[in-house]
Amino acid sequence: MDFKLAMGILLTLLPAVKIYAQKALAEKPAFLNPCTLHSPELSECFSKNFQSTVSEWRAGVPGLKSIGGLDPLYVKRVGIQHTQSPLEIDVDLLNIAFTGLAGVSVKQSDYDIKKLTDVSTLLVPKFAIVSDYKMKGKILNFNLNANGKMQINVDDFLCKIYLHFKLRDSDGFTFTDIDKLRVEIVSIGGLNINMENLFNGDKSLEDSVNSLFNENWRDFFEFLRPAITSAVETIMRDRLTKLFAYVPAKYFIADFPTAASFYA
């Protein structure tokens, strides 16, 4: 199926704060074991620290109220439109919760100090999206005008996160502020969807349409891929920007250069 999407994404963000006005994390957490730049195991070491950070701070970062929790992640709205038969729909997903990120494993992380970049490959074994939905349109010969609850379960969610940093010295610390961030979904192992109240209580029709989606989950995922990618990318940018602006670089890499020496 050749899918074309027009998407609108509005995120629920926590009250605006000036990142640079936040205080630094004063003490290194015990779960972080700083790497060294010239170690042959730098990538493996950084991977472990990245994974530990997501796992240990899934409910929030101590002393940094603005960041909220990493699992679940919340998005206010995702809008999706598809106008080609046999699937012609206009969908709003509302009050969305992404869960499962606490189970993430970092399969690989390539940190380049000269370019100030990192490319990490992440695997989330179980990833779920729970939301309200509003839908209008048509699938095959079925007219749709419905609203209700929706759940999508994804297995083996494999993605890459591309980061570019810029250095900042402040309050005696050096920080790796995120300059650019991009998320790429590499693959998934399976997808299951359940949408309630599709036909105003007609359970038979509802089950038929859900079965149709699930039997053709690969095509359905390609339809959802841009919306999921954009939502994950934007919310990760918000969370990780605040995280790296708060945690000194030396807690991750012990001999990280200062901004002054790096840019000299």
Side-chain angles (χ1 to χ4, degrees):
M1 298 177 69
D2 182 16
F3 292 113
K4 294 181 180 179
L5 298 178
M7 302 175 299
I9 297 181
L10 298 174
L11 296 178
T12 300
L13 297 177
L14 295 165
V17 296
K18 292 184 178 180
I19 291 174
Y20 298 152
Q22 296 171 346
K23 293 181 179 180
L25 183 63
E27 296 184 7
K28 182 187 72 66
F31 62 80
L32 289 179
N33 296 304
C35 317
T36 55
L37 280 175
H38 301 294
S39 168
E41 292 154 359
L42 173 61
S43 290
E44 181 181 353
C45 175
F46 189 78
S47 295
K48 290 179 179 178
N49 280 332
F50 191 10
Q51 180 170 332
S52 296
T53 299
V54 175
S55 300
E56 295 289 336
W57 285 341
R58 61 186 177 184
V61 181
L64 187 60
K65 295 181 180 180
S66 65
I67 202 170
L70 299 176
D71 188 5
L73 294 177
Y74 292 103
V75 177
K76 184 177 181 181
R77 176 182 177 272
V78 173
I80 305 172
Q81 292 181 338
H82 184 258
T83 58
Q84 291 186 344
S85 181
L87 188 63
E88 302 173 52
I89 58 173
D90 188 340
V91 185
D92 276 337
L93 305 183
L94 307 166
N95 306 316
I96 309 160
F98 292 79
T99 59
L101 290 181
V104 66
S105 62
V106 181
K107 309 306 291 183
Q108 183 176 351
S109 185
D110 297 316
Y111 199 98
D112 189 327
I113 182 61
K114 293 182 179 179
K115 296 180 180 179
L116 292 179
T117 61
D118 178 68
V119 180
S120 291
T121 302
L122 312 178
L123 175 65
V124 184
K126 298 288 183 182
F127 186 73
I129 302 170
V130 179
S131 75
D132 301 318
Y133 79 88
K134 293 181 180 179
M135 177 188 294
K136 290 184 179 180
K138 184 169 67 174
I139 177 170
L140 298 176
N141 295 320
F142 298 115
N143 291 317
L144 299 171
N145 186 358
N147 62 82
K149 297 288 184 180
M150 182 199 75
Q151 180 164 344
I152 299 174
N153 297 308
V154 179
D155 295 328
D156 296 327
F157 182 87
L158 186 68
C159 72
K160 288 187 176 182
I161 180 168
Y162 298 83
L163 297 169
H164 181 267
F165 303 96
K166 56 184 178 182
L167 305 187
R168 171 176 57 90
D169 295 332
S170 178
D171 298 323
F173 293 109
T174 297
F175 298 88
T176 51
D177 293 334
I178 292 178
D179 182 38
K180 297 177 183 178
L181 180 151
R182 180 171 65 87
V183 171
E184 173 192 345
I185 299 176
V186 177
S187 64
I188 64 169
L191 180 146
N192 180 272
I193 185 170
N194 183 65
M195 304 179 76
E196 299 178 358
N197 198 42
L198 277 172
F199 299 98
N200 297 316
D202 189 326
K203 185 65 174 171
S204 178
L205 279 178
E206 179 182 304
D207 290 344
S208 295
V209 171
N210 279 317
S211 294
L212 180 64
F213 285 147
N214 290 323
E215 288 167 5
N216 298 278
W217 67 264
R218 289 179 177 84
D219 289 332
F220 188 67
F221 174 71
E222 291 307 318
F223 163 61
L224 289 175
R225 180 195 289 265
I228 295 175
T229 300
S230 294
V232 172
E233 187 173 275
T234 308
I235 199 72
M236 290 297 285
R237 182 181 294 111
D238 173 66
R239 296 301 197 272
L240 291 181
T241 294
K242 293 172 182 175
L243 177 68
F244 281 98
Y246 178 68
V247 181
K250 71 176 184 179
Y251 294 171
F252 292 101
I253 300 177
D255 53 349
F256 206 93
T258 64
S261 63
F262 184 86
Y263 294 121

